[in-house]
Short mmCIF file of all heavy atoms in Angstrom, two decimals:
data_model
loop_
_atom_site.label_atom_id
_atom_site.label_comp_id
_atom_site.label_asym_id
_atom_site.label_seq_id
_atom_site.Cartn_x
_atom_site.Cartn_y
_atom_site.Cartn_z
N SER A 81 -11.97 -0.98 21.28
CA SER A 81 -12.99 0.06 21.46
C SER A 81 -14.38 -0.56 21.53
O SER A 81 -14.61 -1.69 21.09
CB SER A 81 -12.92 1.09 20.33
OG SER A 81 -13.41 0.52 19.13
N ASP A 82 -15.30 0.19 22.06
CA ASP A 82 -16.69 -0.25 22.15
C ASP A 82 -17.52 0.33 21.01
O ASP A 82 -18.73 0.54 21.15
CB ASP A 82 -17.29 0.17 23.50
CG ASP A 82 -16.66 -0.57 24.66
OD1 ASP A 82 -16.19 -1.70 24.45
OD2 ASP A 82 -16.64 -0.01 25.77
N SER A 83 -16.90 0.57 19.90
CA SER A 83 -17.57 1.17 18.74
C SER A 83 -18.47 0.15 18.06
O SER A 83 -18.34 -1.06 18.25
CB SER A 83 -16.53 1.66 17.73
OG SER A 83 -15.64 2.55 18.34
N THR A 84 -19.35 0.67 17.23
CA THR A 84 -20.19 -0.21 16.42
C THR A 84 -19.34 -0.80 15.30
O THR A 84 -18.24 -0.33 15.02
CB THR A 84 -21.37 0.58 15.80
OG1 THR A 84 -20.83 1.54 14.88
CG2 THR A 84 -22.19 1.26 16.87
N ALA A 85 -19.88 -1.81 14.66
CA ALA A 85 -19.16 -2.46 13.56
C ALA A 85 -18.89 -1.46 12.43
O ALA A 85 -17.80 -1.46 11.84
CB ALA A 85 -19.95 -3.65 13.03
N ARG A 86 -19.84 -0.60 12.15
CA ARG A 86 -19.66 0.40 11.09
C ARG A 86 -18.51 1.35 11.42
O ARG A 86 -17.68 1.66 10.58
CB ARG A 86 -20.96 1.18 10.86
CG ARG A 86 -20.79 2.29 9.84
CD ARG A 86 -22.07 3.00 9.53
NE ARG A 86 -22.89 2.09 8.73
CZ ARG A 86 -24.17 1.83 8.97
NH1 ARG A 86 -24.79 2.39 9.97
NH2 ARG A 86 -24.84 1.00 8.21
N GLU A 87 -18.48 1.82 12.67
CA GLU A 87 -17.40 2.71 13.09
C GLU A 87 -16.05 2.02 13.03
O GLU A 87 -15.05 2.60 12.61
CB GLU A 87 -17.67 3.24 14.51
CG GLU A 87 -18.84 4.18 14.60
CD GLU A 87 -19.25 4.46 16.03
OE1 GLU A 87 -18.78 3.76 16.96
OE2 GLU A 87 -20.08 5.37 16.23
N LYS A 88 -16.01 0.75 13.44
CA LYS A 88 -14.77 -0.01 13.38
C LYS A 88 -14.29 -0.16 11.94
O LYS A 88 -13.11 -0.02 11.65
CB LYS A 88 -14.95 -1.40 14.01
CG LYS A 88 -15.03 -1.37 15.51
CD LYS A 88 -15.16 -2.77 16.07
CE LYS A 88 -15.19 -2.76 17.58
NZ LYS A 88 -15.23 -4.11 18.16
N LEU A 89 -15.23 -0.44 11.05
CA LEU A 89 -14.85 -0.59 9.64
C LEU A 89 -14.34 0.73 9.05
O LEU A 89 -13.38 0.73 8.28
CB LEU A 89 -16.04 -1.11 8.83
CG LEU A 89 -16.37 -2.59 9.04
CD1 LEU A 89 -17.72 -2.92 8.42
CD2 LEU A 89 -15.27 -3.46 8.46
N ASN A 90 -14.96 1.83 9.42
CA ASN A 90 -14.50 3.13 8.92
C ASN A 90 -13.12 3.47 9.47
O ASN A 90 -12.27 4.00 8.75
CB ASN A 90 -15.50 4.22 9.25
CG ASN A 90 -16.71 4.18 8.34
OD1 ASN A 90 -16.61 3.84 7.17
ND2 ASN A 90 -17.86 4.52 8.88
N ARG A 91 -12.87 3.16 10.73
CA ARG A 91 -11.55 3.40 11.30
C ARG A 91 -10.52 2.47 10.69
O ARG A 91 -9.36 2.85 10.48
CB ARG A 91 -11.61 3.25 12.82
CG ARG A 91 -12.40 4.40 13.46
CD ARG A 91 -12.58 4.24 14.94
NE ARG A 91 -11.29 4.21 15.64
CZ ARG A 91 -11.16 3.79 16.89
NH1 ARG A 91 -12.20 3.38 17.57
NH2 ARG A 91 -9.97 3.78 17.46
N PHE A 92 -10.91 1.24 10.39
CA PHE A 92 -10.02 0.29 9.71
C PHE A 92 -9.65 0.82 8.33
O PHE A 92 -8.50 0.72 7.91
CB PHE A 92 -10.69 -1.08 9.59
CG PHE A 92 -9.84 -2.10 8.90
CD1 PHE A 92 -8.92 -2.84 9.62
CD2 PHE A 92 -9.96 -2.33 7.54
CE1 PHE A 92 -8.12 -3.79 8.99
CE2 PHE A 92 -9.17 -3.27 6.90
CZ PHE A 92 -8.25 -4.00 7.63
N LYS A 93 -10.63 1.38 7.64
CA LYS A 93 -10.38 1.94 6.32
C LYS A 93 -9.35 3.07 6.39
O LYS A 93 -8.43 3.13 5.58
CB LYS A 93 -11.69 2.44 5.72
CG LYS A 93 -11.57 2.97 4.31
CD LYS A 93 -12.95 3.39 3.79
CE LYS A 93 -12.86 3.95 2.39
NZ LYS A 93 -14.18 4.37 1.90
N SER A 94 -9.48 3.92 7.38
CA SER A 94 -8.52 5.03 7.55
C SER A 94 -7.12 4.50 7.84
O SER A 94 -6.14 4.99 7.29
CB SER A 94 -8.96 5.94 8.69
OG SER A 94 -10.18 6.54 8.41
N ALA A 95 -7.02 3.50 8.70
CA ALA A 95 -5.72 2.91 9.03
C ALA A 95 -5.10 2.24 7.80
O ALA A 95 -3.90 2.36 7.56
CB ALA A 95 -5.88 1.90 10.16
#
Side-chain angles (χ1 to χ4, degrees):
S81 72
D82 292 333
S83 305
T84 65
R86 176 176 288 132
E87 291 168 349
K88 286 182 178 183
L89 286 168
N90 284 326
R91 290 175 61 196
F92 180 86
K93 184 178 179 181
S94 297

